[in-house]
Amino acid sequence: MDVDAGHGAALGGSLPTQGELPLTRRLRSLLTWPAADGDPVTALVRAHRGIHPSADASVLRRAYTIAENMHRGQFRKSGEPYITHPFAVAQICADLGMDTITLVAALLHDTVEDTRYTLQALQEDFGREVAHLVDGVTKFDKAFYGKAAEAETVRKMIVAAGKDVRVLVIKLADRLHNMRTLGVRSAASRERIARKTLEVLVPLCDRLGIQTLKRELDDVVLLHLQPEEHARIARFVHDRPGWDAYLADVVARTRAALRRSRVDAEVSPRPRHLYSIWKDTVAGDHAAPFDLPRIAIVVDGPPTDCYAALGAVHGLWRPVPGRFKDFIASPKNNLYRSLHTSVCGPQDRTVEVLIRTTEMHRDAEYGVAAHYRFPRAAGRAEELAWLRRVLDWEQETVDPTQFMASLRCDLAEAQIQVVADGRQVVLPAGATPVDLAYELGTERGDHCLATRINGRLAPLSSELEEGDVVEIFTESDAESGFEVDVAPRGPRREWLGFVKSPHAQMQINRWFAEHTEPGISIADKVRLGRASIGLALRKHDRGLASDLPLLRLSEELGYPDLETLLVAVFDRSVEPDTVVQQLIDLVDHRQ
Ligand code: MN
């Protein structure tokens, strides 16, 4: 993305959180900030240097000064000066162990959107990297994008994250602080924001593997959506006699067993967060909150030591059948690796055990942030396959609403792993062999003909299940013995009725778009003309919320109506890029 592509989003003074406040309240809040120690940046620098000792403090001070200046006179709904928000976001990033660049961008993250500071100026002052990060979290202007603004904003953020994943870390920290301070909002807006957080940002956080953030996000969402339930679980956790003593006993016995097996490891209780207890309680239909004692074993050694530890634990207490999971050999798609088992512990109580190496533990806690927090330790090049996949189908989705629908589907928590071509493939729950075929490659998808699930022939619409071993046969698989001649080539329309993944849907639509051009109707030409304009607009990071600007342009260019202009674009008698340039000029001059 061109970081210079600022587009007049800096409408100083139109801050939505800047409610009218009585003067006394404003003055009071000005007096309580900066905090008692005089200089808030010092606390930030201290937190940052605690993890990165040689970090440059001066750039943080410079960023804070500019942010504080730009936001001066703006206030949060709570009445606090606005700067408290970007400062808190930077603090969250510092606690995560993010690098200086991230902290600088976090301090400045709302300046371009909400003040007169421009992206251009920001880039001159702090460089391209910071500008890219700030631009990635800057919302599109509702005045131009209307209803599409939100979807286009998420899309822009994902694309920016494809180049630099720190964009998403800042966005998550931003949302976390907004969620923490949601208390002052109305009940309706609290619920609306909490729901959106649950739908998109929590799963995003999960995909990035940042558990320390996800736990707090989860709990704060529960607090706003189900305050009584949150209180009930919190009371339960706070007050359960014998719980700590029981865990201490389990930990001590586990330590002794590991010592006997000569496995060097740290053992500690691993409490669940409130949301997780609540979810299990509801899912299991339990009347009282349901929580099992849980411990974590972090071995100081290679991954094979995890299996030695597992052996020691299983030798000590009988494993509960069906509860062992090996996320080391078959990692989830968010960098998480660990062994999970449940054993029948002392007093016949079920105890859950997590086993991992130090490095796996860091990845489990910090996900993509581990790379910044432990620069030398993170030897692995983190391949966020998930992000790559989203970016793939992002390219082919013009309509922002469709993009959001696909993203939501992709983020839906439930996923399964199947085995194909001798490897593990992650698919959304409910996926079919056609989804799998497209996941294995466009060619395989377009030409898939039949499937065998666990050795048996099955319909292409079958729902796959966790652990299925699946074979896909295509038209070119001569050895498959299928009647190639009688089968029509390419995907079938009815596939669209059962495929689950956005990727497969996109690919099937693409095939039909490419293969149905003869006899194309005017309506199709209008639609495709509009799509070309949409695509060209996206090169400028913009989109169209309504037809109004296009209508005005078609008038100005002397077309009898909008449809004629769109058909002209389709026929390439006028270039979409030209139309878009004129459109942008038209809209920007209005502002
Ligand atoms: Mn913000």
Side-chain angles (χ1 to χ4, degrees):
M1 181 192 310
D2 184 357
V3 287
D4 293 330
H7 45 73
L11 303 169
S14 67
L15 201 64
T17 51
Q18 191 185 3
E20 279 308 307
L21 292 167
L23 184 62
T24 48
R25 212 167 141 198
R26 288 198 193 189
L27 286 175
R28 201 171 42 233
S29 57
L30 281 173
L31 289 174
T32 52
W33 182 270
D37 63 353
D39 179 12
V41 193
T42 303
L44 183 65
V45 168
R46 205 179 299 132
H48 186 42
R49 285 217 168 132
I51 297 166
H52 302 284
S54 56
D56 172 20
S58 63
V59 65
L60 282 179
R61 291 186 189 280
R62 207 152 52 80
Y64 179 83
T65 306
I66 288 195
E68 202 274 331
N69 263 302
M70 291 295 159
H71 287 298
R72 196 168 292 166
Q74 299 177 334
F75 295 88
R76 300 275 289 169
K77 269 239 162 37
S78 63
E80 287 174 299
Y82 194 82
I83 185 66
T84 55
H85 166 66
F87 179 77
V89 173
Q91 188 75 47
I92 293 169
C93 292
D95 292 343
L96 268 179
M98 297 303 292
D99 60 345
T100 314
I101 297 263
T102 310
L103 270 54
V104 168
L107 285 169
L108 296 161
H109 83 271
D110 277 331
T111 53
V112 173
E113 188 172 313
D114 295 330
T115 78
R116 63 178 191 282
Y117 201 43
T118 62
L119 198 58
Q120 185 83 52
L122 185 136
Q123 182 173 332
E124 278 158 21
D125 292 345
F126 295 97
R128 288 189 84 87
E129 255 179 304
V130 174
H132 176 73
L133 294 177
V134 171
D135 188 42
V137 295
T138 296
K139 287 195 203 78
F140 279 124
D141 189 357
K142 273 217 176 81
F144 182 46
Y145 286 90
K147 270 188 259 148
E150 201 179 322
E152 281 295 353
T153 295
V154 174
R155 163 141 80 189
K156 172 183 158 190
M157 181 175 78
I158 299 275
V159 172
K163 290 192 186 134
D164 193 332
V165 78
R166 291 176 292 185
V167 167
L168 288 178
V169 176
I170 296 171
K171 182 67 205 178
L172 289 169
D174 175 44
R175 181 57 63 95
L176 177 58
H177 182 248
N178 284 334
M179 292 291 294
R180 278 181 188 164
T181 51
L182 216 48
V184 294
R185 311 286 296 262
S186 71
S189 59
R190 277 212 311 264
E191 163 146 9
R192 183 176 50 82
I193 296 170
R195 240 173 240 300
K196 277 196 186 143
T197 304
L198 187 62
E199 230 175 42
V200 177
L201 287 161
V202 169
L204 261 178
C205 191
D206 182 67
R207 293 293 190 272
L208 300 184
I210 313 176
Q211 279 306 309
T212 71
L213 272 195
K214 183 171 178 279
R215 278 194 292 267
E216 197 184 336
L217 270 178
D218 274 344
D219 283 356
V220 77
V221 162
L222 182 65
L223 174 69
H224 292 299
L225 286 184
Q226 310 261 356
E228 306 82 25
E229 287 292 274
H230 185 274
R232 180 168 78 110
I233 306 286
R235 265 197 316 274
F236 163 80
V237 167
H238 185 257
D239 181 29
R240 38 184 173 184
W243 178 265
D244 291 343
Y246 181 81
L247 273 168
D249 179 44
V250 170
V251 165
R253 292 187 199 214
T254 306
R255 277 193 192 128
L258 290 171
R259 242 187 334 262
R260 282 196 299 276
S261 303
R262 294 178 207 291
V263 178
D264 202 0
E266 296 270 347
V267 187
S268 54
R270 185 79 185 155
R272 265 175 206 289
H273 60 300
L274 303 183
Y275 177 85
S276 157
I277 299 175
W278 175 74
K279 223 176 85 184
D280 283 358
T281 305
V282 172
D285 234 348
H286 301 281
F290 178 77
D291 188 21
L292 292 174
R294 186 168 69 164
I295 61 166
I297 301 173
V298 179
V299 304
D300 183 13
T304 45
D305 279 9
C306 294
Y307 298 94
L310 180 75
V313 171
H314 282 179
L316 185 61
W317 293 301
R318 183 169 48 80
V320 177
R323 295 298 302 271
F324 172 65
K325 282 192 181 133
D326 187 339
F327 294 118
I328 297 176
S330 313
K332 296 183 175 185
N333 68 351
N334 66 355
L335 315 175
Y336 181 85
R337 289 170 303 155
S338 275
L339 301 179
H340 288 193
T341 187
S342 295
V343 295
C344 195
Q347 301 157 32
D348 271 346
R349 286 170 76 175
T350 303
V351 176
E352 295 183 332
V353 185
L354 311 178
I355 306 171
R356 46 180 73 153
T357 64
T358 310
E359 193 193 345
M360 292 173 196
H361 184 57
R362 289 168 169 182
D363 286 347
E365 286 296 281
Y366 297 101
V368 292
H371 179 72
Y372 299 93
R373 190 179 182 103
F374 312 102
R376 261 156 306 178
R380 309 188 296 138
E382 311 299 12
E383 244 313 284
L384 275 179
W386 165 78
L387 191 53
R388 298 275 147 263
R389 197 174 63 235
V390 170
L391 289 168
D392 272 355
W393 54 253
E394 182 277 332
Q395 297 276 318
E396 304 183 21
T397 322
V398 182
D399 176 18
T401 322
Q402 161 89 66
F403 170 77
M404 271 315 280
S406 303
L407 182 66
R408 282 208 186 90
C409 169
D410 197 287
L411 287 174
E413 198 124 8
Q415 289 184 322
I416 56 167
Q417 292 203 26
V418 301
V419 180
D421 294 355
R423 65 181 176 97
Q424 304 270 350
V425 183
V426 179
L427 295 169
T432 64
V434 175
D435 291 285
L436 171 64
Y438 276 106
E439 195 60 37
L440 296 173
T442 307
E443 275 293 299
R444 299 280 291 277
D446 283 348
H447 302 288
C448 84
L449 202 62
T451 185
R452 249 196 321 238
I453 304 175
N454 301 323
R456 317 184 87 165
L457 279 173
L460 284 174
S461 59
S462 313
E463 255 188 40
L464 296 176
E465 279 172 38
E466 177 77 24
D468 279 346
V469 178
V470 191
E471 295 159 90
I472 300 288
F473 301 104
T474 62
E475 291 155 5
S476 53
D477 284 327
E479 72 271 36
S480 69
F482 293 104
E483 288 294 321
V484 176
D485 297 339
V486 297
R489 299 186 65 83
R492 314 281 130 51
R493 286 224 180 252
E494 61 264 29
W495 291 359
L496 286 168
F498 60 72
V499 293
K500 197 84 187 167
S501 70
H503 175 69
Q505 249 162 36
M506 231 63 78
Q507 292 299 331
I508 297 168
N509 282 326
R510 172 202 47 81
W511 195 90
F512 282 113
E514 280 170 10
H515 289 81
T516 48
E517 203 169 324
I520 190 162
S521 68
I522 297 286
D524 281 338
K525 286 186 183 181
V526 168
R527 194 173 48 79
L528 292 167
R530 188 189 296 277
S532 320
I533 290 179
L535 275 172
L537 268 170
R538 285 198 23 235
K539 283 191 238 156
H540 300 265
D541 279 324
R542 306 182 77 148
L544 265 185
S546 81
D547 276 347
L548 230 77
L550 266 178
L551 255 169
R552 287 199 31 220
L553 184 66
S554 65
E555 262 170 44
E556 248 170 59
L557 296 178
Y559 288 92
D561 51 32
L562 173 57
E563 282 66 31
T564 314
L565 169 65
L566 293 174
V567 170
V569 169
F570 171 81
D571 293 337
R572 287 295 196 271
S573 52
V574 48
E575 280 303 312
D577 284 327
T578 316
V579 174
V580 159
Q581 201 47 59
Q582 287 165 323
L583 203 56
I584 289 174
D585 291 344
L586 183 82
V587 170
D588 287 359
H589 283 146
R590 266 181 61 203
Q591 287 187 337

